[in-house]
Amino acid sequence: KGIQPNESLLASNAGKDLKIGIVRARWNSSVVDPLVDGCVQSLTTLGVAQSDITHVTVPGSFELPLAAKCIIEQNNLDAVICVGTLIKGETMHFEYISDAVSQGIMRVGLDSGVPVIFGVLTCLSMKQALARAGISAGTESDVKSSSLPHNHGLDWGNTAVEMALITKRATYIKLDE
Amino acid sequence: KGIQPNESLLASNAGKDLKIGIVRARWNSSVVDPLVDGCVQSLTTLGVAQSDITHVTVPGSFELPLAAKCIIEQNNLDAVICVGTLIKGETMHFEYISDAVSQGIMRVGLDSGVPVIFGVLTCLSMKQALARAGISAGTESDVKSSSLPHNHGLDWGNTAVEMALITKRATYIKLDE
Amino acid sequence: KGIQPNESLLASNAGKDLKIGIVRARWNSSVVDPLVDGCVQSLTTLGVAQSDITHVTVPGSFELPLAAKCIIEQNNLDAVICVGTLIKGETMHFEYISDAVSQGIMRVGLDSGVPVIFGVLTCLSMKQALARAGISAGTESDVKSSSLPHNHGLDWGNTAVEMALITKRATYIKLDE
Amino acid sequence: KGIQPNESLLASNAGKDLKIGIVRARWNSSVVDPLVDGCVQSLTTLGVAQSDITHVTVPGSFELPLAAKCIIEQNNLDAVICVGTLIKGETMHFEYISDAVSQGIMRVGLDSGVPVIFGVLTCLSMKQALARAGISAGTESDVKSSSLPHNHGLDWGNTAVEMALITKRATYIKLDE
Amino acid sequence: KGIQPNESLLASNAGKDLKIGIVRARWNSSVVDPLVDGCVQSLTTLGVAQSDITHVTVPGSFELPLAAKCIIEQNNLDAVICVGTLIKGETMHFEYISDAVSQGIMRVGLDSGVPVIFGVLTCLSMKQALARAGISAGTESDVKSSSLPHNHGLDWGNTAVEMALITKRATYIKLDE
């Protein structure tokens, strides 16, 4: 479920000494909180110290890119995970926010050279969002097998460590070919 | 209704000495005016002085990003709220304006490092817009409970203060975990 | 009809000494020409001298942003109005041009700090375009009252003057609150 | 058919001494080749020397913006025409390529100050593309009159010369008003 | 099938001494792996040494642009190919990721001047993706002739070499006209 973390990373306590930021949006905290828990779980499993994780809370997802840029500069971080949940409503707010936030997160990463992980769910229903936070089985079609839903936050923690190693230490992981 | 402001902010008179800009569009003033009132109400509740709020009026929402950039530079502001209301019409004007404005507001925030709050409603009808300005109950589906509609301007004022504290004073608010 | 110009602007001969550019696209000149006439009418009503208006014609709307950037730099202008008319055709040309042009006009304004007014109609039919140029009543639904259609160029001229005053002279117009 | 070139340009041998680049994509060469021929025809009609036209071929339309940027810098060109043809397929490739390419071409023009002409067809069928290259009558609805289809490349050559004159020599062409 | 590589490139062992990066996403490796194999096959056919190919694996397609930027700077590469596969799911994740990634890849190429090849499939089904990786015949409409499906990775390797020659050595390939 989800994408498997790189095995050599897991073996090597790769996240040791990395400084990671997590910016979370306060909206839809029933989804965002378990996603952040998932991020922290995978970060610490990979060796990141709890004291090396900087937490920031912002009101909504639109604020994620600026906060990411800000804490990168203030704290000399190796990667930031932006966690938010956007759910389609009656107006077009969802579409324009989702677009601006996804482009904004990409921009902050490219401007700074520091990985900014896209941990924003863009869902058509709360049920879809809950399933991706690992706390509800959702509909049958949401979870194609009979297994429990996967907390996407686990992937984002792994991604933050892996990308920090690539950008900071030029540790490229070659596959056998 | 809306997202609750951060409680430690409310307790600490957090907005004291912050300089905040509000840029409003003149189009759809029946919606925009109460939204601006909501912004001012939450700003002053958080301790921002009326004399520290700079008001600028522009013709339409397309002008919001440039005006925000301009008053940030001219007045050394700590945050700006852009307030406008776009409503779907017969042509594609709504779509292209909404897209350019949302990306433009994101850009000005990231270029300047000063929070620029997205207070632009992108609605499919005036009824949707009025409900989000707190002055009409809208349809039953607009307001899912039987309660009165929520003025989104209240959220934007809170957001401006909170983001100013994060970007300016590095005051991160950690949640218990 | 349209948005009313700011009354204090009208009273004060506010456009005096402002240098304004108008870039027009040659495509759909039956719509673009009256729109430009509307711009000139409102500019001169506000005190802008005919000799202070720089006119440039470009082939199509895609060329508007670059021409705006160019004449701002060459002529030290206080604002530019980009006037064009895009109408949905059989291919996807309309969508990609409209998107690139609206984002491009926003960019030139934010890059330069000089207001670049979005005077581009993005219509699904020629009838929609004509109605917005003030030269055809269009369908009943185009003009919801029985009144004559409104020439949007009039708004754009007013917008150019108002934004020039905001960005150049920091003349903010506060509303009574 | 198409937009008429500016008459004073035609009279004045305006393209003399201008250095123009043409970047073409190799995909859909049955459409792209006649479009490039149309560009060359209008360029030379306006006085551009064949030896002042730099031709570059790239594999696909995604490569057009970078090649345009590159040859502008390497050859000190006065304008570049990007010629490609994108046709809707079964996946979403068409949509994302079209969007990135149209925004990329706009960006290169605004970054460099040198006109980069958008000569990319974004069509829903090969029939639509052929009709716009002037080599097939297409469906009746493609060509609304009974006349032969118009080669859009002719317009792009004219546009390149006109925009080069505006940006390089500040030769603005005023219409009678 | 696919676009034919430039014949003069094939004849001249054109890729000799070029340093090429391949960034691949780990998601959908059953599609991504054969695509990367295709890239390597065409690169080596054109004379690129295996030891001059830098391989980097990132978790998902969102990470491709930053990794491309990073390895260009760290390794002084002549071109990078970004290989990923995005498939439409139940939420809007596909749309926002596809948009951010395609714009991000374009940006990194234009920022750096180094070709960054768009090797990202944006498909509505896994069947569509497999067909484009050359390992499944897909539906009849996917492969219009009765021939085997084409591995798009072959094209991307050719494109990387051709664009490296254009941007690095100004080797423009003129067609006979």
Side-chain angles (χ1 to χ4, degrees), chain C residues 69-84:
Chain C
K69 169 191 161 87
C70 179
I71 64 168
I72 286 171
E73 295 172 358
Q74 292 171 344
N75 298 276
N76 195 26
L77 299 176
D78 299 311
V80 173
I81 309 170
C82 290
V83 186

Side-chain angles (χ1 to χ4, degrees), chain D residues 110-127:
Chain D
L110 293 178
D111 281 357
S112 67
V114 173
V116 183
I117 310 308
F118 184 71
V120 179
L121 300 179
T122 54
C123 295
L124 300 176
S125 68
M126 177 55 84
K127 181 172 282 189

Side-chain angles (χ1 to χ4, degrees), chain C residues 156-174:
Chain C
W156 302 333
N158 292 333
T159 297
V161 170
E162 187 168 349
M163 290 305 295
L165 295 179
I166 288 173
T167 54
K168 185 186 168 86
R169 301 191 191 155
T171 309
Y172 308 147
I173 302 98
K174 296 196 184 190

Side-chain angles (χ1 to χ4, degrees), chain C residues 39-75:
Chain C
C39 293
V40 171
Q41 182 183 323
S42 58
L43 288 172
T44 52
T45 298
L46 289 172
V48 178
Q50 287 270 12
S51 58
D52 283 334
I53 304 175
T54 301
H55 288 274
V56 181
T57 302
V58 296
S61 289
F62 194 85
E63 281 74 55
L64 293 171
L66 180 62
K69 169 191 161 87
C70 179
I71 64 168
I72 286 171
E73 295 172 358
Q74 292 171 344
N75 298 276

Side-chain angles (χ1 to χ4, degrees), chain A:
Chain A
K1 241 147 292 98
I3 189 168
Q4 290 305 310
N6 186 288
E7 290 188 12
S8 56
L9 287 189
L10 278 169
S12 65
N13 202 24
K16 190 166 176 296
D17 296 331
L18 290 179
K19 299 172 71 181
I20 308 291
I22 300 177
V23 189
R24 78 170 76 188
R26 201 177 293 121
W27 274 101
N28 295 314
S29 58
S30 63
V31 179
V32 168
D33 287 351
L35 288 168
V36 170
D37 291 345
C39 293
V40 171
Q41 182 182 324
S42 58
L43 288 172
T44 52
T45 297
L46 290 172
V48 178
Q50 286 271 10
S51 58
D52 283 334
I53 304 176
T54 301
H55 288 274
V56 181
T57 303
V58 296
S61 289
F62 193 85
E63 281 74 56
L64 293 170
L66 179 62
K69 168 192 162 83
C70 179
I71 64 168
I72 287 170
E73 295 172 358
Q74 292 171 344
N75 297 276
N76 195 26
L77 301 175
D78 299 311
V80 173
I81 309 170
C82 291
V83 186
T85 298
L86 292 161
I87 297 176
K88 174 64 183 154
E90 295 195 336
T91 72
M92 297 300 284
H93 187 71
F94 168 81
E95 282 80 359
Y96 294 111
I97 294 285
S98 296
D99 198 31
V101 170
S102 53
Q103 298 276 354
I105 289 176
M106 180 62 76
R107 174 182 159 176
V108 174
L110 293 178
D111 281 357
S112 67
V114 173
V116 184
I117 311 307
F118 184 70
V120 179
L121 301 180
T122 54
C123 296
L124 299 175
S125 67
M126 177 55 84
K127 180 173 281 189
Q128 286 183 345
L130 288 169
R132 282 148 188 84
I135 51 176
S136 158
T139 65
E140 275 179 76
S141 61
D142 277 340
V143 281
K144 275 152 196 155
S145 69
S146 61
S147 57
L148 288 170
H150 173 67
N151 182 335
H152 284 41
L154 294 165
D155 300 336
W156 302 333
N158 291 333
T159 298
V161 170
E162 188 168 349
M163 291 305 294
L165 295 178
I166 288 173
T167 55
K168 184 185 169 86
R169 302 190 191 153
T171 310
Y172 308 147
I173 301 99
K174 296 194 186 192
L175 301 180
D176 316 351
E177 338 200 351

Side-chain angles (χ1 to χ4, degrees), chain D residues 24 26-27 55-57 59 62-63 65-66 69-71 74-75 90-93 96-97 99-100 107, chain E residues 3 6 95 98-99 103 109-111 115 118 122 128 132 141-142 159 162-163 166-167 170 172-173 175 177:
Chain D
R24 77 169 78 186
R26 200 178 295 121
W27 275 101
H55 288 273
V56 181
T57 303
F62 194 85
E63 283 73 56
L66 179 62
K69 168 191 161 85
C70 179
I71 63 169
Q74 291 171 343
N75 297 277
E90 295 195 337
T91 73
M92 297 300 285
H93 187 71
Y96 294 111
I97 295 285
D99 199 31
R107 174 181 159 177
Chain E
I3 189 167
N6 186 288
E95 282 81 359
S98 296
D99 199 30
Q103 298 276 354
L110 293 177
D111 281 357
F118 184 71
T122 53
Q128 286 184 345
R132 281 148 188 84
S141 60
D142 278 339
T159 298
E162 187 168 349
M163 290 305 295
I166 288 173
T167 54
Y172 308 147
I173 302 99
L175 301 181
E177 339 202 350

Side-chain angles (χ1 to χ4, degrees), chain C residues 24 26-27 55-59 62-63 66 69-71 74-75 90-93 96-97 99-100 107, chain D residues 3 6 95 98-99 103 109-111 115 122 128 132 141-142 159 162-163 166-167 170 172-173 175 177:
Chain C
R24 78 169 76 186
R26 200 177 294 121
W27 275 101
H55 288 274
V56 181
T57 302
V58 296
F62 194 85
E63 281 74 55
L66 180 62
K69 169 191 161 87
C70 179
I71 64 168
Q74 292 171 344
N75 298 276
E90 295 195 336
T91 73
M92 297 300 285
H93 187 70
Y96 295 111
I97 295 285
D99 199 30
R107 174 182 160 176
Chain D
I3 189 167
N6 186 287
E95 283 80 0
S98 296
D99 199 31
Q103 298 276 354
L110 293 178
D111 281 357
T122 54
Q128 286 183 346
R132 282 149 187 84
S141 61
D142 277 340
T159 297
E162 187 168 349
M163 290 305 295
I166 288 173
T167 54
Y172 308 147
I173 301 100
L175 301 180
E177 335 200 356

